[in-house]
Amino acid sequence: FNVSRPSVRRAISDLEAEGLIYREHGKGSFVRGQQIEQELTALTGFVEDMLELGYRPHARLIKTKQVPADQNVAKKLKLPLGTIVTYIERVRIANDIPLSFDTTWMPNDIGQKIIRDNLEVYPIYSLLEDKHGFTLEEADYVIGATVAMGRITSVLEVEQGAPIFTIERTANAKGGIPIDYELLYYRADRIRFAMRLKRKRPPWGLDVLDDLTGQIEKDSE
């Protein structure tokens, strides 16, 4: 194409910076798959989000079991330490692409009802509301980041060290009762999150920054 090597390198670097391709050492450059943009503006589940975006969602159920609640799970579900809870592992899939690995803990009386249903087809939130009569009102979200290691690499079909989003989510039923605690691992190459935030002005004005600037200058002398 009569293009110099430096121009090709710059073009490839620009494509990588835009997230359109990725490089693997010793292998070459590869086109990234299309990223799904998921809005975090309301309490919704994976199936609802994917259907809204026009994807075909389903799940692969890995395991369900009863386990004693450790300190973190007990705190999130507001249960005594060691209380038996229901634990669920699933891979969430859209258009045959694994997007997230979901680990879920639920109060045992509720969880044992949920696992009787087909969790590869029906989402937990819909089962809670449409079949078991619960009303979900709100959830606490904590978003973080990590890298894929161990089982996550195999279940999400990614390389060791691939970037992963984490979401820690506790859903509350009517009356503020925690009913579902989840730790979710999302492929960062396939999904991104979008939200709109309202402005919250600070209680201080510019004079505080003036004072801070003066203090910094004084400390540097």
Side-chain angles (χ1 to χ4, degrees), residues 9-193:
R9 292 192 188 101
R10 283 196 298 271
I12 289 175
S13 295
D14 289 343
L15 291 171
E16 185 179 22
E18 293 175 16
L20 299 176
I21 67 172
Y22 66 96
R23 301 186 196 187
E24 289 189 11
H25 183 68
K27 295 183 179 180
S29 300
F30 302 88
V31 177
R32 284 193 185 278
Q34 181 181 3
Q35 279 191 316
I36 298 171
E37 185 169 286
Q38 181 177 337
E39 292 189 356
L40 295 182
T41 56
L43 176 54
T44 56
F46 180 86
V47 170
E48 300 165 59
D49 294 329
M50 293 303 109
L51 287 175
E52 181 72 20
L53 294 169
Y55 292 87
R56 303 185 312 275
H58 67 281
R60 183 168 76 249
L61 181 64
I62 298 177
K63 71 169 68 171
T64 67
K65 62 179 181 178
Q66 298 180 72
V67 299
D70 62 20
Q71 188 171 2
N72 184 53
V73 172
K75 180 180 178 181
K76 296 297 184 180
L77 293 179
K78 297 182 180 179
L79 296 170
L81 181 65
T83 301
I84 297 300
V85 296
T86 298
Y87 173 71
I88 303 167
E89 282 186 0
R90 294 171 296 166
V91 178
R92 314 304 294 277
I93 299 166
N95 287 11
D96 299 323
I97 298 171
L99 293 183
S100 76
F101 173 51
D102 294 8
T103 56
T104 304
W105 293 262
M106 306 182 73
N108 205 43
D109 58 334
I110 301 170
Q112 290 301 297
K113 295 177 182 177
I114 291 295
I115 63 173
R116 295 174 191 155
D117 294 291
N118 187 349
L119 294 181
E120 298 198 342
V121 175
Y122 302 114
I124 289 176
Y125 283 1
S126 295
L127 290 170
L128 286 169
E129 293 179 316
D130 298 338
K131 184 172 182 178
H132 299 289
F134 292 96
T135 300
L136 297 177
E137 290 194 336
E138 60 186 10
D140 297 314
Y141 277 72
V142 178
I143 300 177
T146 187
V147 294
M149 298 183 70
R151 293 181 61 220
I152 293 177
T153 61
S154 59
V155 296
L156 290 184
E157 300 177 9
V158 296
E159 296 287 335
Q160 185 93 355
I164 297 289
F165 286 120
T166 62
I167 294 183
E168 190 175 10
R169 179 171 66 187
T170 307
N172 297 319
K174 190 174 182 179
I177 300 171
I179 197 171
D180 176 280
Y181 169 60
E182 298 171 289
L183 186 54
L184 317 173
Y185 302 87
Y186 279 90
R187 289 178 56 169
D189 66 328
R190 288 290 186 174
I191 199 161
R192 63 182 182 179
F193 301 103

